[in-house]
Every structure is written in C-alpha cells, then in structure tokens.
Amino acid sequence: MTTRNRVGIGRIVVGSLAAGLVAAALLAFAPFVEADEHAFTGMALLGFAIGWAMLWVLSARLSDQPQRWAAVPAVFMGLSGAVLLVAPDAVVDALVWVWPPALLVLVVWTFARARRQLHSRTRALVLNPVLAVLLLASLGGGYETIREAADRRSHPMPGQLVAVGQHRLHLSCTGTRGPTVVLEPGAGEMSSALGWIAPAVARDTRVCVYDRAGRGWSEPATSPPDGSQIATDLHTLLQRAHVPGPYVLAGHSFGGLYVMSFAAQYPQDVAGMVLVDSTAPTSTPVSRERAGAYDVMARVSALASSSARLGLGRVLGWLSYSDLPPQSRDEARASTATASHLGSTVDEYAVASRSTSQAGELVDLAAKPLVVLTAGRGGAEGWMAAQNEMARLSTNSRHRVVADATHESLLGDRNDAAAVSRAIHDVVVSVRNSTPLVSP
C-alpha cells in the first residue's frame, strides 16, 4: 500500500462509529423489523456491530494503525443482536444477568487495547466517550437487574392475577358492603398510585383496584390499549373474578376516559361515577390511527422499554410519588422502572385520540349519581368548561372544584386525595339509598 492510499486513522474512527450509529437507527426503525423490544434492540445491536466491524477492517486496509481489537466488540454486539432476534423469551430473560458484566469486561478490555494501539486525538474525543456510554449502560443494566429482583421480593402482589384473554391482569379488592367501587388511575399509572384513596374508600364499601396491561403486577397485552379495549378487559376481569355489579367507577385523568368508555359499553353495570380532573372526551367519530403512525409509536415504545433495561425508568420513579404512603410510593416507583411499564405508557398515549373519541360515545348517564371533581390550579385554557360539560352527563350530578389542588395532587397529596374519597363516598351513599347527591 502506498502512502497516498492511506487514510488518517481519526477519520476512520469517526466515520466508522458514526456509520454504526446510523445503521443502528435505520435497522431498528426499518419497516420490516417487528416493533417489539427484543427485535428493536437486536437490530440496533447489529447496526452498532457494523460500525465496529468497519473500524476493524478499514483501519487494517487503509491506515498504518490497524485496530484489530475492534473485531471483539463487533462480534460481541453482532452475536448479542442475533440472540435477541432468534432466542426464546425465556433465554432472553435469563440473559439480563449476563450481559451487564459481560459488557463491563468488554469496555475495560477495549479501553486498554485502544490505549495501546490507537494514537490519535479521536481516542480521547470520540472513542472514550463511546466507551463511557457503554460503561454507564453496563452499570445501569446491572443495577436495574438487581433492583428488579429485589423489588419482586419486597413488593409481593397484594391481589390475584385473572386471565382476560392472552394476558392476565392484577386485581385487588378490599372492604365490604356494596356497591363495589372500581378505581381507574390515569395514563402511565398503576394501582399503587391510589394509595391514599383506596384504603379510605374501603372503610365504607368494597373497593377494587387493578393494573392495566403492562403495569404493576399485570402482564403486557399484545394490542394497543385504547379506551374500548381497556373497558372490555376491565369488564372481563370483574366478571371472571366474580365481583358483582353494578359498580361505582372512579377515574382520574385518562382513567376518566376509560370509565366513560366502560359506561358506554356496559351501561347496565354502572351505578354511579366520579370523574377526577378527567381528560375530556370528544364527539369526533372513532377512527383507527394510520398504521404507519402507530408503527412509529410502537418503535418508540420499544425504545422506551429498552431504555428501562438500563435503569432510566428508575430515575423517573425517583422523581415521582414522593407524597404517597411509603409502601404505595415504593411499589409505584418499582413499577415505573420496568420495561413493561414504560412501553405500555407510550402505547397508551399513542392511541389517545381514539380513546377520547370512544369516551365520547357516552352521552347520557340518566339520573345515575355523578361527581365531577376538578383541580383548582394548573388547568389549561378551556379545561374548566370541559369539566362543566361532563357534569351534564347526569341529571343527578355535582361539579366540585378543589381550590388549591393540582392535577397530580388529587392522587398524591393526602388532603387533596381526601376530597376524592369524599366524592366517592357521596356517590356510594346516593346509590345505596337511592337518594340525590348531597351538595358540596
């Protein structure tokens, strides 16, 4: 090889690693790749493997600094990606204990080799930052694996798992007397987020909390969780768990959409309702989102799930739920950290417009008791008007504003959550005694 045919090693390092990053993005988001976590991560790893392989081959052919060590990360990531694509889920689940220490060893070995063989500023400016990211991934992945195992021991399931199709949902009921109250938390939430409300309601009547698919102790679903599907799953869950109706439904935020969808589909099973700072329904016809649009969101969901494997979801959990009772706080934080939780949350928002349309199919609750509870602070323009409109669903309704509450504090703050419990109590009494709702 002549001197004029040689290329600076710095250009090769930058070009190869950049090509690997681009290849990872293109392969992970390619339309022919299944939009699930394992396929997404597997294809991304194959893309990164291409970048390391380019550094290995091009440095040997075009420069006077061959970086043969790059073959090792290329093979490691290529094999890891292939395993994720073809191995059964049980094998992949077992590998969560293997890949963090293996990646840590790879990073240390690669750093030592590059330090000896790569004589270029790109080692400090480009390669070392890449290795630092991989080091954080290995440490975060190892920490997340250990913490999830500890969480499973520390937070045993309080209720039961009930099959509702191809997946099982967690249901926990406490208290006695009727009517049974069913609580529905907002988007991205699980049953433990109701830690102040459920025990207070259980002092007066039977109350059931559950986890939607992919949250808490429930298993993931195979289809997008729009309001109609969530309502169907909830109805099946209650029937198969032999929880007698009709029910008083209480939903916070997006949970309000879901209880409205339930009431539209199963009006005979609804005795009353509480809408807690609920997202407003729309009157637009229900339509399916374009397949391409959801496909992109499904890949974003897979990206969120993959990120949770590195411990990023646990960071979000640390920033949330601080005002809940300690046990509920820790359970909610543990759930938020999981890949299943983050993925299902993205899925839920991906079909939000469909859920709001489905909730709009409820146009009349007749004289069934309804309390619309609204946070007094933080509402967007038009929010209060939409709350007033929802109160018109029933001729036996009350619209109450909790003056100093925010959207989040109606669940998280003990005093604000007490206002929710009182509203549920008032609806229960109205149903139980067949009397009009009391004034605030």
Side-chain angles (χ1 to χ4, degrees):
M1 183 181 297
T2 61
T3 302
R4 68 185 180 203
N5 290 330
R6 301 194 177 222
V7 178
I9 187 62
R11 294 182 180 180
I12 293 175
V13 171
V14 173
S16 298
L17 296 182
L21 180 61
V22 171
L26 291 177
L27 288 175
F29 283 89
F32 57 82
V33 177
E34 187 176 355
D36 67 29
E37 179 195 347
H38 293 166
F40 181 93
T41 307
M43 294 304 287
L45 286 173
L46 291 179
F48 290 133
I50 290 173
W52 291 108
M54 287 179 61
L55 175 56
W56 167 34
V57 173
L58 295 180
S59 65
R61 289 179 175 271
L62 301 180
S63 80
D64 56 2
Q65 292 188 50
Q67 306 296 314
R68 296 184 178 87
W69 54 264
V72 176
V75 171
F76 177 87
M77 294 191 178
L79 288 177
S80 299
V83 168
L84 286 175
L85 291 172
V86 303
D89 288 345
V91 173
V92 174
D93 291 341
L95 289 176
V96 298
W97 291 98
V98 176
W99 74 261
L103 180 59
L104 177 61
V105 171
L106 175 69
V107 169
V108 173
W109 182 87
T110 300
F111 176 82
R113 286 289 179 174
R115 188 176 182 182
R116 294 176 186 174
Q117 299 180 21
L118 180 57
H119 307 294
S120 167
R121 287 182 300 173
T122 55
R123 178 167 61 82
L125 297 177
V126 179
L127 182 62
N128 285 352
V130 170
L131 294 178
V133 171
L134 293 178
L135 175 64
L136 290 175
S138 68
L139 296 176
Y143 177 77
E144 180 60 29
T145 298
I146 294 170
R147 280 300 305 269
E148 286 192 21
D151 287 340
R152 285 191 289 271
R153 293 191 299 269
S154 301
H155 309 304
M157 183 178 64
Q160 59 178 321
L161 285 176
V162 180
V164 297
Q166 296 182 350
H167 60 285
R168 297 180 298 169
L169 297 182
H170 165 246
L171 175 71
S172 178
C173 298
T174 54
T176 57
R177 301 183 69 191
T180 296
V181 174
V182 179
L183 302 180
E184 186 78 75
E189 298 292 357
M190 49 91 68
S191 56
S192 296
L194 301 161
W196 289 122
I197 298 170
V201 174
R203 289 195 288 267
D204 181 56
T205 193
R206 187 165 177 78
V207 59
C208 294
V209 295
Y210 84 108
D211 293 313
R212 294 193 292 272
R215 313 284 168 72
W217 295 274
S218 289
E219 297 173 347
T222 57
S223 59
D226 62 22
S228 177
Q229 185 59 55
I230 288 171
T232 300
D233 281 356
L234 176 57
H235 187 261
T236 303
L237 172 67
L238 295 171
Q239 295 300 303
R240 293 186 177 177
H242 306 292
V243 179
Y247 315 103
V248 170
L249 304 175
H252 172 252
S253 191
F254 262 48
L257 296 177
Y258 304 146
V259 300
M260 284 186 274
S261 289
F262 187 101
Q265 292 178 225
Y266 311 102
Q268 71 283 359
D269 290 325
V270 178
M273 187 180 295
V274 180
L275 297 175
V276 184
D277 217 37
S278 171
T279 303
T282 62
S283 57
T284 56
V286 177
S287 62
R288 310 291 293 185
E289 275 84 0
R290 290 179 292 113
Y294 181 72
D295 186 66
V296 172
M297 290 304 298
R299 293 174 198 284
V300 174
S301 172
L303 174 60
S305 298
S306 299
S307 300
R309 304 287 183 186
L310 308 180
L312 297 183
R314 198 163 294 277
V315 175
L316 297 177
W318 286 334
L319 302 175
S320 307
Y321 309 113
S322 57
D323 293 327
L324 285 175
Q327 180 176 340
S328 299
R329 176 199 63 206
D330 294 343
E331 290 172 349
R333 286 177 172 175
S335 176
T336 300
T338 64
S340 175
H341 185 110
L342 286 186
S344 66
T345 298
V346 174
D347 290 341
E348 192 170 9
Y349 281 114
V351 292
S353 62
R354 204 156 76 218
S355 295
T356 57
S357 296
Q358 290 161 344
E361 294 176 354
L362 177 66
V363 296
D364 188 8
L365 279 171
K368 295 175 181 178
L370 165 67
V371 172
V372 175
L373 205 65
T374 305
R377 295 194 294 119
E381 183 178 356
W383 185 264
M384 194 64 70
Q387 301 289 301
N388 284 326
E389 186 64 28
M390 284 185 284
R392 295 190 180 98
L393 285 170
S394 172
T395 58
N396 180 21
S397 70
R398 296 289 185 273
H399 182 192
R400 303 174 181 174
V401 178
V402 185
D404 294 325
T406 65
H407 186 74
E408 294 78 15
S409 73
L410 285 172
L411 262 59
D413 179 81
R414 184 173 188 172
N415 293 328
D416 293 343
V420 179
S421 302
R422 284 193 298 272
I424 295 172
H425 168 79
D426 290 345
V427 171
V428 166
V429 170
S430 178
V431 170
R432 189 178 286 161
N433 299 331
S434 299
T435 55
L437 279 166
V438 298
S439 298

